[in-house]
Structure formats: structure tokens, C-alpha cells
Amino acid sequence: MLNLQDDFPTDIAKFPWTITDANLIRSLILYGPCKPDINFPVNNNGKRFSSSYYFLTTKSGTKIPRTWLCYSYNLDCVYCESCWLFADRSYGKFKWDWIYGINDWNHLSQSIQRHESSIQHLDAAKIRSIWVKNETIDASLEKQYTDEAVKWRNVLKRLIKIILSITAGNCALRGNEGSLKIKCATEGNFLRTVRLLAEFDPILNDILNDENQKIKYLSWSIQNELLDILSTELRHLICNKIRSSSFFSVILDSTQDITKQDQVSLVIRYTTLDFEKKQIQIKESFLGFYLLSHHGAANYVELLKNTLMRLDLNIMKCRGQGYDGAAVMSGSITGVQKQICDIVPNAIFVHCCSHNINLVLCDAAKSTRKIQSFFDTVQDIYNFFSSSSPRWAQLAFGEEYGNKINKITLKKVCPTRWEARHNALFSLKHRFVDVLKSLSNIQLSSSKKDEINMATTLKKKMENAEFIIILCIWEPILKSLQVVSKSMQSVNLSLQKASTQLESAILIIEKLRDQYDQIIKDSRELCMKWNIPFKLSETRQRYAKKYFDEVDSDRRLTTTDDNFRVTIFYPVVDTTLLQLRVRFKGMKTVCNDFIILMPEILTSMSDELIVKSSYDFINKYKEDISSDFTRQLIIIKGYLSSKFQTNYLKKYDNSRFS
């Protein structure tokens, strides 16, 4: 760099003979040549340099400056700045004379004339003029690089927008792509979207149609790389929000991918506070899939700890765990939830509520074989009608074919979401007679033997009193739990409300246990609509062999109605009630611990009870809550009470004057 404190900062004596730094060359040119106008020193021959040599004087007296000619104060010689900075050292007739310096003052004029006409000097002067105009080779290359970077930056912007648009709808990017030059009917959404936008966008059109352009950024590897970059950046943003939150909960689950390898999904549940908008939001963010080689509880715990550490998330801030009901995850002795609780004692484990309801109903359905056969029959009825458009139309339109469609149609029996099976049972119960009419019509009018046989089989199963009773048993059970399951999937559902709805469902099912006679009555009424004889199937009684030392023989229920009540009705209802109480024990525990924070409960509590409850709460979360928590609760109670009273008065005034 130039030392501007010197009298002559561009003097060649202060720099190397060959300069390759473009910035230094640019600085020397911008500052100007070294042309001191001083009292030049005299040499041994009594000669000295004159500042008149800085100019070329024509015959007419015009002075033309020699911009290339410089004088070195330190070396007492003249030199050519153009050759010093820009002369081609690889030139065959290259000479260093005018770079090292000339101090032969007697023949200086002749030396200047010879040098000005030399090829070395002319080429150097030409390059110098380009630099002065800021049209250097480096600038040209830099502009070319800049234009190229802008072009590919615009291409990447479009490709990233396309990827974000496609993935926002959970659509696959790739299909069975062929050559980019040939449109393929099986190509994926990504290439199809690129081709569509290329018709309106010149940048993408140039990428697709330019045969000389070998790099296009459209291959599957580039797509994967862009996905990795986007996911990494998004994960970084999510982790920043999680770190800004006081606490978080973890949700883990594993599943096999297409290569039969276990992939563990990690979801973090946390809260965000917006003090400006005065909003609190509860968010659940998916952080990715992680490969799991072994399936022990210790392996899950190690994977979770390493992943949180890699994401710079402190596991000590974990206050909740959510897993499925597998023993390796929810085991109370060596399960994942127990090992995490050993690390973070306040990380409470809660089973997924909606998943729990499915498990409750699964256990209830496994209580007897007839229940499993019942749902198979319901699915067979749906398959029979849905597999044929004429059969479905006949059932859907009925006698008013072509005028209107009945609003309630048969529904599919969902194999995983048991609470959704209520729709299938409700529609079958509502359209029970219509289904039997359609089956009878098919029996009489169809010319297909397989269709007649299937219709006959289904009609025979539906005309069974046991089938109708099971339908009347399961429909109210599924109805009560469907309401709870739907509400539990709501974002704004509070813990207290979820617990209340669950208790309501339990009460409904408990009342149903004492309403067996009413279920039988409803079943009889449904049978009467089609004149089905209400008679339970009787099987030959089996007796255990009586040995000589036994006092009494094996007793069996002789009444068919009592047998159905004991072997089917009670097991279904009791299993449902038992599983609801056992599986939702964790949720009730959390609800009881945090009940003091529920506004409805807090406003109804006395100050003494608030002090006692808050003391227990502080002891449990002493590392998270200060002793001032009790005073804050009492203040909040007063604020909420006045707010509720104000809202009540407003409603009262509006009702009076409306």
C-alpha cells in the first residue's frame, strides 16, 4: 500500500521491480506518476535532470505531457512507469533499462526518443490506457463473473421457489424423468413446473433450450442439495425460536422407510411470546428424521441426547415427553420416558391422547371374536356397493334416482382411526333398511352369479339379531369418543377442557352399561323395520367332563340373552372404561398439577387455597418458579375476577336494552 506520509509515495525505489497486485497497481495509477519539481542533484559530470523532459515540445511550441516518464528521488534516475507496471516480461526483446532507471543525462533525449517508439513501451502504454479508463482485464473478468453470478442467482431463486411451492403441498419432486430435451409423460412435478414457467420466463427458457449450456441445475442431485440447504436453514431458524423459549417438550416416534430402516421422527413442542402483540403461541415443529440402528430404550435416549446436543438445545429445559404406548418408549422401569425422567425429573410423560383413544377402542374390539367379525362385515358391505357404480347409485339415489342424492351414504371402515368408524356405523344404522332393500333387489334382478351370492351372504349376516345388537352397542360408544377425539385435535383446546370432555365420555359409557335393556329395545325396533325375527343364535352347550372327586359339574348360562350380555356387552363396555382410566392417567396427573393455572378454577379458589396449592406447585418446580409465584397468582385472580364481572355486566346491559 502507498505511504501517503512520504513526499513521493509512488517512487519506484519503494516498491519491487515487478508488481502483480492489481490493487497496488490501481493505487499507483490513481495517485499519479512520480514527477517531482525540485532542484535536481548534479552528477559527477556536472549534469542534472530537468523537469522539461516531462513534456514533449512540438515545433509549434505545444507541450504534450509524457505521463509515462517519472523521476526517482531516491535513485536519482528516470524510469518508465508504464513499462514498470504493464510491460510484458515474457516479450523476447524485453529490456529492463527503463525499469531499473536511466541516469545518462548527456544522452537522455536520444534514449527517450528510442524508448517512446519501442514495441515494449507502446504495448505497455496501450494497457495503461485501458487501466486508466477502468477497462482492465481484471475488471472485464470481474464483470463477466458478476453477470454469471447474477444469472445463476436468478436461476436458483426460481428453482428454490418451485421447490418450496411443490413441497408446501406435500407433493413429490421427481418422477421417472428421461432426457431434458424430450418431454416425458412420467416426469416429476419439478421438471414439469420448470417447463411451464420457462414458457413465460426468459431465464428458465434459456437454461432449458440452450444446447451449449451444459450446466442446468436441474438434476436430482441438485434438487437433493437444495432440499438439504433449505431444510438446514429452516431447522436453524426453528432452533433459534426453541432456544428463545423457556422450556420445550419432545415427541418421538419411529417408522420404517422404503429400505426397511427405522427412521425416528423428532418433534419439539414449545411456546413463543410476542410482547408487542401480547400473544402466546404454542407450536410444534418437526426437526427431521434420524436413522436408528438398534431399538433399545438406551438407543432412543442416546439418539435424542445427541440430536439435541447437535442442535444446541439444552435437554435440561425439557419439561414434557410424548411417545406411543410401546413398552420400550413408555415403560415405567426401563423405558425411554423413565430414563429421560432420571435426567430431567420434571419431564412428565403423556401419551398422545388421540392415539390413546384408538388403542382403547382396539382393546375393546379384541375382547371377543364376534366384534372383529362384525367390523369385517361392515367393511364388506361398503366394498360391495362401492366397487360397482350401478350398485352404489341404486343405494345412493334409491327410488328417486336422478332427482336427488341421499345425504348419508355408506362410509369406509378406517383400519387405523377407530374413532372415525362411527361414521361407518352411523351411516349403516341410518340406511339399514335401504341397504337390505338394495341387497334384495340385487338378489332378484341380477344376472351375475357372484353378485347374487355376495348379496345373499351380506343380507343373511345383516338379518342376524346379534349383528343388529352389536351395531346398537358400538354406535353410541364410538359417538361419545369421536367427539372427544375431534376436540383433542383442536389447536386451541385447553388441558382442563380436554379432561372434562374425557370425563363426560366416561360418564356416558358408564350409563350405557346400565342401559342394556334400552339397547335391546332399539335393536328390536330396527329389526321390526325389516321384519327380522329377534332371536339370538343358539349353539349346542358344551359341558366339561365331571370327575369322580368333583362335587358339581361345569355350569353354563342357559339363557341366550344373558349369555350375550356377559360374553359380548359387558366385556366391550368394561374394557373401554378400564382402558380410558388407565391410559389417560398421565393426562389427569398433568391436569391436576396445573389446575391452579386454569382461569376458571383460579377465580373460584380462596386466597388460602391458592397459597397452599401454589406452595405445592413451587416445591415441584422449584428450579423454574420463584417464591413470588403465590403473590402473582393472587393478583391475577383479582384481575380475572374483575374482568369476568365486567364482561358479565356488559352482556347483562346488552340483553336489557336489545
Side-chain angles (χ1 to χ4, degrees):
M1 297 299 293
L2 301 182
N3 186 3
L4 300 180
Q5 295 180 355
D6 291 344
D7 293 334
F8 310 107
T10 59
D11 194 335
I12 192 174
K14 301 173 183 178
F15 301 96
W17 300 117
T18 301
I19 298 178
T20 57
D21 187 357
N23 293 326
L24 180 57
I25 294 175
R26 189 174 288 108
S27 300
L28 291 169
I29 293 176
L30 290 176
Y31 188 85
C34 183
K35 294 179 179 291
D37 188 6
I38 59 175
N39 186 15
F40 296 100
V42 180
N43 62 7
N44 296 330
N45 297 327
K47 301 292 183 178
R48 70 174 67 185
F49 176 73
S50 174
S51 58
S52 61
Y53 288 105
Y54 291 149
F55 300 92
L56 171 64
T57 305
T58 63
K59 292 182 178 180
S60 61
T62 304
K63 291 185 177 182
I64 302 174
R66 290 188 175 102
T67 56
W68 58 271
L69 184 63
C70 298
Y71 176 83
S72 173
Y73 176 79
N74 296 323
L75 300 177
D76 187 25
C77 65
V78 293
Y79 62 93
C80 177
E81 188 181 58
S82 298
C83 292
W84 171 42
L85 298 178
F86 302 106
D88 185 7
R89 267 64 170 173
S90 63
Y91 177 56
K93 297 182 179 181
F94 176 78
K95 295 181 179 180
W96 289 91
D97 299 348
W98 278 90
I99 296 176
Y100 291 152
I102 300 293
N103 58 2
D104 184 6
W105 311 128
N106 292 331
H107 307 92
L108 183 59
S109 298
Q110 295 86 341
S111 298
I112 290 175
Q113 290 178 2
R114 287 194 302 269
H115 182 69
E116 281 183 328
S117 60
S118 66
I119 297 177
Q120 172 183 321
H121 175 76
L122 293 176
D123 291 341
K126 188 184 298 183
I127 297 175
R128 180 191 180 98
S129 65
I130 295 175
W131 272 75
V132 171
K133 296 178 181 179
N134 199 23
E135 296 178 357
T136 63
I137 297 176
D138 289 347
S140 177
L141 289 175
E142 185 177 350
K143 184 178 183 302
Q144 183 179 355
Y145 293 154
T146 303
D147 294 342
E148 194 76 7
V150 170
K151 169 189 172 183
W152 289 112
R153 190 177 293 113
N154 290 329
V155 171
L156 288 176
K157 283 182 179 179
R158 286 157 174 77
L159 297 183
I160 289 173
K161 289 292 185 181
I162 291 173
I163 290 176
L164 292 176
S165 176
I166 295 175
T167 54
N170 293 327
C171 297
L173 293 181
R174 297 191 298 275
N176 188 14
E177 282 90 352
S179 174
L180 289 176
K181 299 179 181 179
I182 304 174
K183 287 186 178 181
C184 181
T186 58
E187 67 183 5
N189 296 320
F190 178 77
L191 279 182
R192 189 177 291 110
T193 307
V194 170
R195 294 188 191 278
L196 174 63
L197 294 182
E199 297 180 5
F200 309 96
D201 185 75
I203 296 178
L204 291 180
N205 185 51
D206 180 60
I207 291 295
L208 279 178
N209 300 323
D210 188 0
E211 297 182 356
N212 297 325
Q213 183 69 53
K214 302 300 181 182
I215 300 175
K216 298 182 181 295
Y217 283 178
L218 300 177
S219 66
W220 63 269
S221 59
I222 295 296
Q223 295 176 39
N224 287 347
E225 187 174 353
L226 289 176
L227 286 172
D228 289 338
I229 293 172
L230 292 173
S231 62
T232 302
E233 181 64 22
L234 180 59
R235 190 183 295 111
H236 177 70
L237 296 176
I238 292 174
C239 289
N240 286 338
K241 293 182 179 179
I242 297 174
R243 282 189 287 270
S244 64
S245 178
S246 300
F247 309 103
F248 61 85
S249 299
V250 296
I251 302 174
L252 281 182
D253 197 9
S254 63
T255 185
Q256 283 189 347
D257 59 11
I258 195 172
T259 61
K260 305 303 180 184
Q261 291 182 325
D262 266 353
Q263 301 281 348
V264 177
S265 62
L266 173 61
V267 176
I268 300 294
R269 184 180 175 92
Y270 59 99
T271 58
T272 58
L273 304 178
D274 191 339
F275 293 100
E276 294 182 357
K277 297 181 180 180
K278 298 181 180 179
Q279 290 181 349
I280 300 177
Q281 290 183 335
I282 301 175
K283 294 187 177 182
E284 289 185 358
S285 297
F286 170 72
L287 294 183
F289 289 107
Y290 301 93
L291 184 64
L292 184 69
S293 55
H294 301 285
H295 306 88
N299 303 114
Y300 280 96
V301 174
E302 190 67 21
L303 175 66
L304 177 60
K305 290 167 58 179
N306 293 338
T307 304
L308 293 179
M309 184 182 300
R310 188 164 57 252
L311 297 176
D312 195 19
L313 299 176
N314 187 5
I315 193 174
M316 300 306 296
K317 295 173 65 176
C318 178
R319 290 298 179 270
Q321 309 175 67
Y323 316 121
D324 57 19
V328 69
M329 304 300 294
S330 60
S332 59
I333 299 177
T334 59
V336 174
Q337 65 98 0
K338 179 62 171 62
Q339 296 188 32
I340 296 296
C341 281
D342 293 340
I343 302 173
V344 189
N346 288 332
I348 304 173
F349 167 69
V350 177
H351 197 293
C352 174
C353 296
S354 297
H355 186 221
N356 247 345
I357 293 178
N358 281 348
L359 296 178
V360 168
L361 296 174
C362 284
D363 292 339
K366 293 177 183 177
S367 59
T368 175
R369 291 182 180 178
K370 289 188 177 181
I371 301 298
Q372 300 178 14
S373 176
F374 165 77
F375 282 106
D376 292 339
T377 303
V378 175
Q379 181 63 30
D380 291 339
I381 295 171
Y382 173 82
N383 292 338
F384 177 73
F385 284 99
S386 63
S387 60
S388 172
S389 298
R391 291 197 294 263
W392 185 265
Q394 182 182 5
L395 178 62
F397 292 97
E399 298 177 355
E400 300 181 2
Y401 187 91
N403 294 330
K404 67 176 183 178
I405 299 178
N406 288 312
K407 294 183 179 180
I408 300 178
T409 58
L410 295 183
K411 300 295 189 299
K412 181 181 178 181
V413 177
C414 183
T416 54
R417 295 173 57 237
W418 273 80
E419 49 87 14
R421 295 193 176 194
H422 171 261
N423 296 330
L425 298 189
F426 176 76
S427 60
L428 179 61
K429 185 178 179 181
H430 185 80
R431 303 293 306 282
F432 190 79
V433 176
D434 295 332
V435 172
L436 288 174
K437 285 182 180 180
S438 298
L439 292 175
S440 300
N441 188 21
I442 292 171
Q443 275 184 300
L444 299 174
S445 61
S446 177
S447 59
K448 300 177 182 178
K449 186 176 180 180
D450 293 340
E451 188 177 43
I452 295 174
N453 293 336
M454 190 64 185
T456 303
T457 302
L458 294 177
K459 184 170 179 289
K460 182 179 179 180
K461 291 181 178 180
M462 290 183 64
E463 289 177 341
N464 188 348
E466 289 186 357
F467 180 88
I468 298 174
I469 295 175
I470 295 175
L471 177 63
C472 294
I473 292 173
W474 269 101
E475 196 273 332
I477 294 177
L478 292 175
K479 180 180 179 180
S480 61
L481 294 179
Q482 184 193 36
V483 175
V484 179
S485 180
K486 291 292 185 183
S487 62
M488 283 185 176
Q489 298 173 28
S490 175
V491 178
N492 300 320
L493 182 69
S494 65
L495 188 64
Q496 180 65 27
K497 190 173 182 180
S499 179
T500 302
Q501 290 183 355
L502 184 63
E503 291 294 336
S504 300
I506 293 176
L507 290 176
I508 292 174
I509 298 175
E510 285 179 346
K511 291 180 180 179
L512 182 66
R513 193 180 190 279
D514 300 328
Q515 296 175 354
Y516 180 75
D517 294 337
Q518 181 63 38
I519 292 175
I520 295 297
K521 181 180 178 181
D522 295 340
S523 303
R524 289 181 183 275
E525 293 177 356
L526 193 58
C527 289
M528 291 175 60
K529 293 181 179 180
W530 191 251
N531 294 325
I532 299 174
F534 191 81
K535 183 179 180 182
L536 299 176
S537 60
E538 296 182 2
T539 57
R540 183 174 61 86
Q541 293 185 358
R542 297 179 181 179
Y543 291 93
K545 183 178 179 180
K546 181 180 178 181
Y547 292 92
F548 67 93
D549 58 343
E550 291 181 343
V551 178
D552 197 2
S553 61
D554 185 23
R555 291 187 177 182
R556 302 286 178 173
L557 292 173
T558 57
T559 306
T560 306
D561 184 41
D562 293 338
N563 188 21
F564 189 88
R565 184 201 302 255
V566 173
T567 58
I568 295 179
F569 177 70
Y570 284 154
V572 170
V573 177
D574 292 343
T575 303
T576 303
L577 291 173
L578 176 63
Q579 293 297 324
L580 284 175
R581 294 189 179 98
V582 173
R583 291 186 178 275
F584 287 91
K585 185 178 180 180
M587 190 189 77
K588 291 182 179 179
T589 301
V590 175
C591 186
N592 292 333
D593 290 341
F594 289 87
I595 194 171
I596 191 176
L597 301 180
M598 305 298 173
E600 298 84 356
I601 304 299
L602 181 62
T603 53
S604 62
M605 296 173 66
S606 62
D607 291 349
E608 293 78 9
L609 185 57
I610 291 177
V611 172
K612 181 182 180 304
S613 301
S614 62
Y615 179 77
D616 298 335
F617 192 81
I618 292 172
N619 285 337
K620 185 170 184 177
Y621 295 96
K622 54 186 176 182
E623 296 180 358
D624 305 327
I625 300 176
S626 65
S627 58
D628 193 45
F629 179 68
T630 304
R631 183 185 64 84
Q632 295 174 3
L633 281 180
I634 295 176
I635 294 175
I636 292 174
K637 174 197 171 183
Y639 171 75
L640 292 176
S641 299
S642 61
K643 186 175 181 180
F644 290 160
Q645 185 176 5
T646 303
N647 292 337
Y648 173 77
L649 292 176
K650 287 182 179 179
K651 292 181 180 179
Y652 178 73
D653 292 339
N654 292 335
S655 62
R656 284 184 60 191
F657 297 104
S658 59

